[in-house]
Amino acid sequence: MSLAPSEHAPAAAPAGRGSTDQTGRTLPGRRRLLTRTSVPYLLIMPAVLGFAIFKAYPIVASLWISLTTGNGAGRHFTGLDNYQRLLHDPLFWTALKNTALILVVQVPLMLGLALLVALGLNSTKVWLRPLWRLGVFIPSLTGLVAAGVMFSVILNRDAGLLNWVLSLFGIDRVNWLGSPFWARVGVVLVITWHYTGYNAVIYLAGLQGIPQELYEAAKVDGAGPIRRFVSITVPQLRPILLLTVVLSTIGTLQLFDEPYVLTGGGPDNSTLTVTMYLYNNGFKYFDFGYASALAYALALIVAVLGLLQVRLMGERK
Amino acid sequence: MKRHSPLLTLLLAGAFGLCVAPFYWLAMAATQENSDVFSWPPKLLPGGHLMENLQGLQDSIGLTRVLFNSVLVAGVQTAGAVVVSVLAGYAFAKFEFRGRNLFFVLLLSTLVLPDTVMLIPIFEMMMKLGLIDSYQSVILPGLVTPFGIFLMRQSLRSMPDELLDAARVDGAGELRVLWQIVIPVNRPVIAALALFVFLGGWNQFVWPLIALRSPDMYTLPVATATLQGLVTTNYAQVLLAAAIAAIPVMALFLVLQRQFISGLLAGATKE
């Protein structure tokens, strides 16, 4: 790996040029490959290759597969049949409805809680702040499978930790995971537990970036805490709020691991999500065409929702 | 001088408790006998069956082999993704070249596209290459991380050009500039990136679940999930597997907290 010795470079070497032939020095041949024009292309080559093979190609191939039926050699073009089938597939609509329900409840709940926790963590009146920050962040490190397995027992109806804690307050056992309604609540609970701290830490960074003078000026002008929050904190945090809303939406729309481990999509398909349904079609029934159509439908929904959110939140200035 | 608010502190301690209590319970449950996992009230003190459960896991999923698989997959993926991200991030941050913006935007746009879109073609590709049920099949797709390239570009952009030019004036080749200046100066971000990729690789589930077939090749999350699907599930063992999956991640985080948080924030706050 030894490159041309730099110590011998003449002080007058032209700045910013990799190849210094003008000075009359003989350079090893391979070094001439690394000029300032070629270097960037060499640097991005691995990324471009990987991108082409594992992102660009699959995106195009997936679209093609979604227009076909059958697998391997027996695959043939059927146009929009898969999409037609999708529109009339009650299970797809169930999965979409479940995903939408979880999204609408979970994302605002989680981000609201995260903002509250971040405001608390940002307050100088709190004792032992680093410890609390550490604690709330820890759940987001856990793998979804580990978290799912853990909560499948914690949410057990007869002997789970949560029902035991509730019983201490005189609340009857809840059939988490066993009834359609509570199973959804359970999934929401687990995701909220998992990611609230993560978002709180992101918000905390945003809060710490807001110039303190803004608050002091507002105080001088007689603005109370709520007024200061609405008029300074929220507008200043807007880019970060937008980021977390979009990322959480994308994440929730792709929900798979938690329901897979917690409920397997049940009871009565009440926690079946679009990605789970896609997985079932693709890798249980090996109906790649239909699964790809599902993937594209999901991508379309993600794109539309994402754009809508950027429009609504991003451009209100 | 500063006055503390006991109420606020108490509220945050409550949030802390809600986040951490499940882990405490997990650690305790993993040391119980299977029948005691579901006792009412729950057992909140250590039981004496840790060794027995470990042995059980070794017999049922081949714990040591599965751990080896997980470490190998996450480790190689981390090393590879960091190299790819640093190289590309450096190019995007510090070089002018044709197609730079176009390619960068293309790359970033895949961040927004659900990964599920890519599952089936990648599966077919791996089938054709005969790579299903191999380490490669799990590792390869994880090597290009748009997030990593984005993170490195953001961070390298704030590095002064004079530093690089000074080295070039001194005659250092481009590789040498990268190796001796760019990488050492940016070590904290690179460490943060490595942690994120490792975390992702260690915890990934859907793709290994699809790509791996034989129990010998399973990573810890896949093995844990299959264990849970059994008719006579030994929950003490499943929970112990979950606890074991959580341990390295927590240890890494505790040791490298500062890098972790700064990496997270670099991704979130820099525009």
Side-chain angles (χ1 to χ4, degrees), chain A residues 6 36 40-41 50 53 62 75 125 127 134 141-143 149 152 158-159 164 173 193 198 205 254 275 288 291, chain B residues 4-5 9 18 23 38 40-42 97-98 115-117 120-121 124-125 144 168 170 203 228 238 253 264-265:
Chain A
S6 61
R36 281 212 80 183
Y41 292 106
I53 299 172
S62 196
R75 171 173 292 158
K125 289 188 199 153
W127 203 47
L134 183 74
L141 299 168
T142 337
V149 162
S152 68
D158 298 317
W164 177 71
R173 287 176 189 185
W193 173 84
Y198 179 86
Q254 296 184 71
T275 304
F288 284 177
Chain B
H4 289 305
S5 155
T9 303
L18 287 175
F23 289 114
F38 291 100
W40 182 275
F97 54 94
R98 286 185 61 161
D115 282 340
T116 37
V117 172
I120 285 168
E124 288 201 320
M125 191 192 305
V144 185
R168 289 182 185 126
D170 285 347
N203 288 332
Q228 199 213 13
V238 181
F253 176 70
L264 179 77
L265 304 186

Side-chain angles (χ1 to χ4, degrees), chain A residues 153-167 170-179 181-186 189, chain B residues 40:
Chain A
V153 181
I154 288 179
L155 296 179
N156 182 274
R157 194 197 93 86
D158 298 317
L161 182 69
L162 185 58
N163 275 349
W164 177 71
V165 172
L166 292 178
S167 76
I171 298 170
D172 278 345
R173 287 176 189 185
V174 174
N175 192 9
W176 310 102
L177 310 182
S179 78
F181 175 78
W182 288 112
R184 288 190 189 128
V185 176
L189 267 182
Chain B
W40 182 275

Side-chain angles (χ1 to χ4, degrees), chain A residues 1 3-7 9-11 13-18 31 34-37 39-44 46-51 53-55 57-59 61-62 65 71-72 75 117 120-121 123-127 129-146 148-154 156-161 163-164 167 173 193 198 201-202 205-206 239-240 243 246 250 254 256-257 260-262 275 278-279 282-283 286-288 291-292 295-296 298-299 302, chain B residues 2-6 8-9 12-13 15-16 18-23 25-26 37-42 44 84 86-92 94-99 103 106-126 128 140-142 144-146 149 165 167-178 196 199 203-207 209-210 213 220-222 224-225 228 235 238-239 241-243 245-246 249-250 253-254 257 260-261 264-265 267-269 271:
Chain A
M1 275 303 285
L3 296 163
S6 61
E7 315 84 82
R17 290 275 173 271
R31 179 145 177 214
L34 300 175
T35 63
R36 281 212 80 183
T37 20
V39 161
Y41 292 106
L42 292 172
L43 290 173
I44 61 167
V48 172
L49 268 178
F51 174 83
I53 299 172
F54 293 113
K55 304 273 179 198
Y57 165 75
I59 289 168
S62 196
I65 297 171
N71 285 323
R75 171 173 292 158
V117 171
L121 287 173
S123 163
T124 49
K125 289 188 199 153
V126 172
W127 203 47
R129 273 195 297 175
L131 181 65
W132 313 138
R133 190 186 65 188
L134 183 74
V136 297
F137 191 67
I138 274 184
S140 63
L141 299 168
T142 337
L144 292 165
V145 173
V149 162
M150 181 162 95
F151 276 96
S152 68
V153 181
I154 288 179
N156 182 274
R157 194 197 93 86
D158 298 317
L161 182 69
N163 275 349
W164 177 71
S167 76
R173 287 176 189 185
W193 173 84
Y198 179 86
V201 171
I202 293 182
I240 294 183
L243 179 89
V246 172
I250 296 174
Q254 296 184 71
F256 175 83
D257 307 35
Y260 181 91
V261 176
L262 277 173
T275 304
L278 186 161
Y279 172 86
F283 299 100
F286 290 96
D287 190 345
F288 284 177
S292 294
Y296 257 90
L298 184 64
V302 167
Chain B
K2 273 182 199 156
R3 275 198 288 127
H4 289 305
S5 155
L8 209 50
T9 303
L12 279 170
F16 173 90
L18 287 175
C19 289
V20 173
F23 289 114
W25 170 83
L26 177 70
V37 170
F38 291 100
S39 59
W40 182 275
L44 297 176
V84 173
V86 169
L87 295 181
Y90 179 45
F92 284 124
K94 288 298 177 196
F95 289 86
E96 295 281 350
F97 54 94
R98 286 185 61 161
F103 187 67
L106 276 177
L107 197 75
L108 276 194
S109 63
T110 58
L111 264 181
V112 200
L113 220 62
D115 282 340
T116 37
V117 172
M118 293 142 206
L119 277 183
I120 285 168
I122 294 182
F123 177 78
E124 288 201 320
M125 191 192 305
M126 292 296 174
K128 279 194 191 121
L140 285 172
V144 185
T145 52
I149 296 171
D165 285 335
R168 289 182 185 126
V169 169
D170 285 347
E174 291 301 333
L175 272 183
R176 197 177 170 120
V177 171
L178 179 64
F196 275 104
L199 193 64
N203 288 332
Q204 65 178 332
F205 178 58
V206 188
W207 176 241
L209 178 73
I210 293 167
R213 291 293 154 85
L220 193 51
V222 179
T224 307
Q228 199 213 13
Y235 273 96
V238 181
L239 292 171
V249 172
M250 306 243 170
F253 176 70
L254 288 177
Q257 232 198 101
F260 234 105
I261 303 254
L264 179 77
L265 304 186
T269 56
E271 289 288 305

